[in-house]
Amino acid sequence: MERLVNVERVCVRGGLYEVDLNQGECYPVYWNQADKIPVMRGQWFIDGTWQPLEEEESNLIEQEHLSCFRGQQIQESFDIEVSKSIDGKDAVHSFKLSRNHVDWHSMDEVYLYSDATTSKIARTVTQKLGFSKASSSGTRLHRGYVEEATLEDKPSQTTHIVFVVHGIGQKMDQGRIIKNTAMMREAARKIEERHFSNHATHVEFLPVEWRSKLALDGDTVDSITPDKVRGLRDMLNSSAMDIMYYTSPLYRDELVKGLQQELNRLYSLFCSRNPDFEEKGGKVSIVSHSLGCVITYDIMTGWNPVRLYEQLLQKEEELPDERWMSYEERHLLDELYITKRRLREIEERLHGLKASSMIQTPALKFKVENFFCMGSPLAVFLALRGIRPGNTGSQDHILPREICNRLLNIFHPTDPVAYRLEPLILKHYSNISPVQIHWYNTSNPLPYEHMKPSFLHPSKEPTSVSENEGISTIPSPVTSPVLSRRHYGESITNIGKASILGAASIGKGLGGMLFSRFGRSSTSQPSETSKDSMEDEKKPVVPPSTTTVATQTLPHSSSGFLDSAYFRLQESFFNLPHLLFPGNVMQNKDNTLVELDHRIDFELREGLVESRYWSAVTSHTAYWSSLDVALFLLTFMYKHEHDDSAKSSLDPI
């Protein structure tokens, strides 16, 4: 009869696992796992520890209990006085097991006794001393658990799912992304209990394992690998070879489609098991690691190297051929050019008709709310594809907001694979330090949108400068040496103060004459500064440049320069762009620096006793179990609950 009855499977662990009651096994829902998890039904429990008996013994005791007491009603099944004495009360029923026996003194007073020789001797001695059998060697059993299940006893509703995408090396260690996601999920649970316990919602992490299903070249690469140091070569073939596969025009599409199909499969499966997710506005974020960041980015943006190659060919065809040609050859080339242009126009019209008649299916079935990159080489790939800094601080320069609402780049300072993304949007952000990620145990941390930028390589603040010292002796933002990383997070106010002190000292040596304008150049060679120019009070001092792009006029009063400029710098440190950001900077019409709409690069803090050489080896895989990373992720995922009524974009920093 059990085989004929279709017993519904039971969801456990927040819906991530299912239990097959017939087989007594538990298995994950969203990913494959070779090892099955055995499951047993708990019916009879040991008093005190509330550990279940072995299922075989428990089933025998349950059958015997029902045969004796079926139809009878217990008074209070879950409010039993455990310490209730049964001295002098004989057992009404006894049942023999293989190594134990069970005595029923009443329907709710059941004791388990061991039939081992030592237990029998101890029981005989204690009974002769006046102790009862149950109190001397018996273990009380309870039918059912100490806490009764209620309708409210269920996990909180999931309003945000996070797809965790792995990078290289999954073939070498299959199932690693499942373990890494489990570590990240466990860290997130600890952070939720500590910082987000007042939320009635829940964030779920799902691993995306896309590598094991790909065929690629089969075993061709393994067959051509030399046998010497085979272990090392196999490790490289199983890890670094994924990068070569992705740069190959033959296998790149297979990797992209593998990840794309797995993301869509997981989303469809989750929505089918949680039908209210989409209706209640559930959100989806992606956490990608290493090469997975590049593949995920290409899926979201639809980037294809074939189209890039066609554009390059088209540009080459449009270039004039400067070699000598005969009249007939030039005439034929002109006709060929006109024909190609006509063909291109027809192709564009045909493509427009197809686009109007067909609704293009998006690559992903969901809108990405947050795209978290961890230890990501995405910036290098974009730079090699020709992405260069623009003149706006919008994320749309590299990832449109219509595709992904927020892009965040997380990296450890010693991670050898990670690169920054902000300098690809605005060049002068290469001299601004990434935002420091808060430690998870920081009390009342400052919100990230309120954290002020700080200089990456600040200038040393001079203590005293004599009037006769030359310009070369005064440190400037251009010539000052790079300071150690312990200056990270130094206040921009102190940096600006040092720059202004240097400018004031120069002005004092020039007889009270200060800078009247500041210029920059991206193509010219630095000009020389002679002693005659220092003595000439009528000529303004100009930094090395030949082309002035923006001007900034400062007050000529030597008495009030430092104070006014210092306090003005405290109000807005971008008012002196060329003192703070030498080189190629982007400015608005009002001579203020262009700012990012929101920060993208976020850096983990180094430990106090952390070795950088050892961290360079371990940091690339240290994100999964980090509580700092877990707090950072949840901070932005729970943020939408507070910002639903406000605008979706953050204020500029």
Side-chain angles (χ1 to χ4, degrees):
M1 291 299 296
E2 291 181 356
R3 295 179 181 178
L4 296 177
V5 176
N6 185 16
V7 181
E8 184 178 358
R9 295 171 179 175
V10 181
C11 292
V12 295
R13 296 187 180 182
L16 296 179
Y17 292 82
E18 277 187 344
V19 175
D20 189 339
L21 298 179
N22 293 330
Q23 300 295 328
E25 292 180 344
C26 177
Y27 52 88
V29 175
Y30 299 100
W31 62 89
N32 296 324
Q33 184 170 319
D35 299 332
K36 299 295 182 180
I37 305 174
V39 175
M40 70 177 195
R41 179 186 294 277
Q43 299 180 90
W44 289 87
F45 296 84
I46 298 174
D47 180 49
T49 61
W50 291 97
Q51 293 296 315
L53 291 179
E54 293 292 335
E55 189 171 12
E56 183 179 354
E57 290 186 348
S58 180
N59 290 335
L60 295 175
I61 296 174
E62 177 69 10
Q63 293 177 5
E64 193 71 16
H65 181 82
L66 292 177
S67 64
C68 296
F69 301 100
R70 186 185 298 273
Q72 299 185 27
Q73 185 175 2
I74 193 170
Q75 294 180 357
E76 293 182 356
S77 58
F78 289 92
D79 295 330
I80 306 172
E81 294 182 6
V82 178
S83 60
K84 185 177 179 181
S85 175
I86 59 169
D87 293 345
K89 185 184 293 186
D90 296 331
V92 298
H93 184 73
S94 183
F95 179 66
K96 181 72 172 65
L97 298 172
S98 59
R99 293 172 298 177
N100 307 295
H101 73 275
V102 182
D103 287 349
W104 278 265
H105 297 272
S106 66
M107 186 175 61
D108 60 341
E109 295 176 358
V110 185
Y111 284 83
L112 177 70
Y113 301 95
S114 174
D115 288 341
T117 303
T118 55
S119 299
K120 290 181 178 180
I121 295 174
R123 191 158 51 240
T124 302
V125 173
T126 53
Q127 284 180 343
K128 288 184 178 181
L129 294 176
F131 296 96
S132 64
K133 176 182 177 182
S135 61
S136 61
S137 61
T139 301
R140 186 167 183 177
L141 302 180
H142 295 284
R143 187 171 182 259
Y145 196 60
V146 62
E147 297 179 3
E148 189 174 9
T150 61
L151 294 176
E152 293 76 17
D153 185 18
K154 60 181 180 181
S156 56
Q157 182 183 5
T158 301
T159 58
H160 206 132
I161 56 176
V162 183
F163 293 128
V164 184
V165 181
H166 64 80
I168 65 173
Q170 188 66 21
K171 181 182 178 181
M172 179 179 59
D173 188 4
Q174 292 187 2
R176 171 56 57 184
I177 185 59
I178 299 174
K179 300 174 184 176
N180 291 338
T181 306
M183 289 190 292
M184 180 171 284
R185 187 185 302 114
E186 182 180 358
R189 296 293 177 268
K190 295 178 181 178
I191 295 299
E192 281 182 329
E193 294 176 359
R194 179 168 183 166
H195 296 278
F196 305 98
S197 58
N198 57 337
H199 289 73
T201 57
H202 173 64
V203 177
E204 190 55 77
F205 294 80
L206 301 178
V208 183
E209 203 287 297
W210 51 268
R211 179 63 176 83
S212 60
K213 299 178 182 179
L214 304 182
L216 298 176
D217 65 276
D219 58 350
T220 304
V221 173
D222 293 335
S223 65
I224 62 177
T225 302
D227 290 333
K228 296 297 181 180
V229 288
R230 185 72 185 190
L232 177 61
R233 300 299 293 268
D234 288 341
M235 183 186 68
L236 293 176
N237 288 347
S238 301
S239 55
M241 187 61 63
D242 290 343
I243 302 176
M244 303 182 69
Y245 283 136
Y246 193 66
T247 56
S248 168
L250 184 62
Y251 300 113
R252 179 188 177 277
D253 287 345
E254 187 176 353
L255 269 70
V256 171
K257 290 180 180 178
L259 177 55
Q260 176 185 338
Q261 293 174 0
E262 185 65 12
L263 285 170
N264 290 330
R265 183 192 73 85
L266 288 174
Y267 181 75
S268 300
L269 179 59
F270 183 86
C271 291
S272 64
R273 302 176 68 89
N274 301 270
D276 297 337
F277 179 76
E278 289 183 314
E279 297 177 1
K280 296 184 178 180
K283 298 184 181 298
V284 181
S285 294
I286 297 179
V287 174
S288 295
H289 180 248
S290 191
L291 182 64
C293 302
V294 183
I295 306 177
T296 305
Y297 174 87
D298 290 347
I299 292 175
M300 291 192 296
T301 58
W303 187 85
N304 193 330
V306 177
R307 287 199 294 267
L308 180 63
Y309 179 70
E310 292 176 351
Q311 293 174 2
L312 293 175
L313 286 181
Q314 180 179 344
K315 290 182 179 180
E316 289 183 359
E317 292 175 356
E318 295 176 354
L319 292 176
D321 195 349
E322 298 179 354
R323 66 182 179 86
W324 183 88
M325 291 181 293
S326 63
Y327 173 79
E328 183 180 1
E329 186 178 1
R330 184 174 296 278
H331 178 69
L332 291 175
L333 284 176
D334 291 341
E335 290 184 356
L336 179 62
Y337 175 76
I338 295 173
T339 304
K340 285 184 177 180
R341 187 173 63 180
R342 178 59 179 165
L343 179 61
R344 194 178 302 117
E345 292 176 356
I346 296 175
E347 289 178 347
E348 291 177 356
R349 289 174 57 187
L350 181 61
H351 180 73
L353 291 175
K354 288 183 178 180
S356 60
S357 59
M358 296 176 57
I359 301 176
Q360 187 177 5
T361 305
L364 297 177
K365 297 181 179 180
F366 51 87
K367 166 74 181 295
V368 181
E369 182 69 18
N370 302 295
F371 179 33
F372 298 94
C373 299
M374 298 192 312
S376 169
L378 176 61
V380 171
F381 279 79
L382 296 181
L384 296 180
R385 294 172 184 177
I387 300 295
R388 294 297 179 265
N391 53 7
T392 63
S394 175
Q395 171 190 301
D396 296 345
H397 185 66
I398 56 177
L399 184 61
R401 296 286 291 270
E402 296 81 14
I403 299 176
C404 175
N405 186 47
R406 188 72 189 267
L407 171 65
L408 303 106
N409 185 34
I410 308 169
F411 60 93
H412 191 278
T414 60
D415 189 343
V417 183
Y419 292 85
R420 295 190 59 184
L421 283 170
E422 290 177 346
L424 281 181
I425 302 177
L426 291 175
K427 186 175 180 62
H428 60 265
Y429 268 79
S430 61
N431 206 28
I432 298 179
S433 64
V435 181
Q436 299 286 289
I437 294 178
H438 297 305
W439 283 307
Y440 76 96
N441 54 1
T442 303
S443 58
N444 299 323
L446 183 67
Y448 288 108
E449 58 266 26
H450 297 156
M451 296 178 67
K452 296 181 179 180
S454 59
F455 236 154
L456 187 59
H457 302 304
S459 304
K460 293 183 179 180
E461 181 172 346
T463 54
S464 62
V465 181
S466 62
E467 298 182 4
N468 297 326
E469 286 179 343
I471 296 178
S472 60
T473 61
I474 302 174
S476 68
V478 182
T479 61
S480 59
V482 177
L483 299 185
S484 61
R485 294 183 64 87
R486 59 189 176 87
H487 289 276
Y488 252 45
E490 183 176 350
S491 173
I492 196 68
T493 304
N494 295 335
I495 300 164
K497 182 179 178 182
S499 301
I500 296 172
L501 285 174
S505 301
I506 295 173
K508 188 174 182 182
L510 295 172
M513 195 65 187
L514 301 175
F515 288 120
S516 62
R517 63 177 182 174
F518 299 85
R520 65 182 176 93
S521 173
S522 58
T523 58
S524 63
Q525 298 294 330
S527 61
E528 298 180 357
T529 304
S530 63
K531 296 182 180 180
D532 296 336
S533 62
M534 295 176 57
E535 297 173 354
D536 190 355
E537 297 182 357
K538 296 182 180 180
K539 294 182 181 180
V541 179
V542 181
S545 174
T546 59
T547 303
T548 302
V549 177
T551 61
Q552 177 91 12
T553 303
L554 297 180
H556 290 269
S557 174
S558 60
S559 59
F561 171 76
L562 284 178
D563 295 335
S564 61
Y566 177 61
F567 288 107
R568 188 163 61 253
L569 185 64
Q570 283 185 318
E571 295 175 1
S572 176
F573 71 94
F574 284 121
N575 287 343
L576 294 177
H578 293 59
L579 281 177
L580 298 177
F581 304 101
N584 186 13
V585 296
M586 186 58 60
Q587 289 182 300
N588 291 320
K589 294 180 180 180
D590 56 352
N591 290 343
T592 59
L593 281 178
V594 177
E595 307 170 21
L596 288 175
D597 292 345
H598 56 73
R599 296 301 300 270
I600 296 177
D601 292 334
F602 295 86
E603 184 183 57
L604 289 169
R605 298 176 186 267
E606 292 183 89
L608 298 178
V609 293
E610 187 174 347
S611 171
R612 292 188 182 178
Y613 296 102
W614 177 247
S615 296
V617 179
T618 61
S619 58
H620 188 59
T621 58
Y623 302 98
W624 308 108
S625 59
S626 172
L627 294 176
D628 299 341
V629 173
L631 175 60
F632 180 83
L633 298 178
L634 294 178
T635 298
F636 284 90
M637 292 176 193
Y638 280 113
K639 185 177 178 58
H640 72 273
E641 297 185 5
H642 304 286
D643 296 345
D644 283 342
S645 58
K647 60 180 181 180
S648 58
S649 62
L650 295 175
D651 295 332
I653 298 178

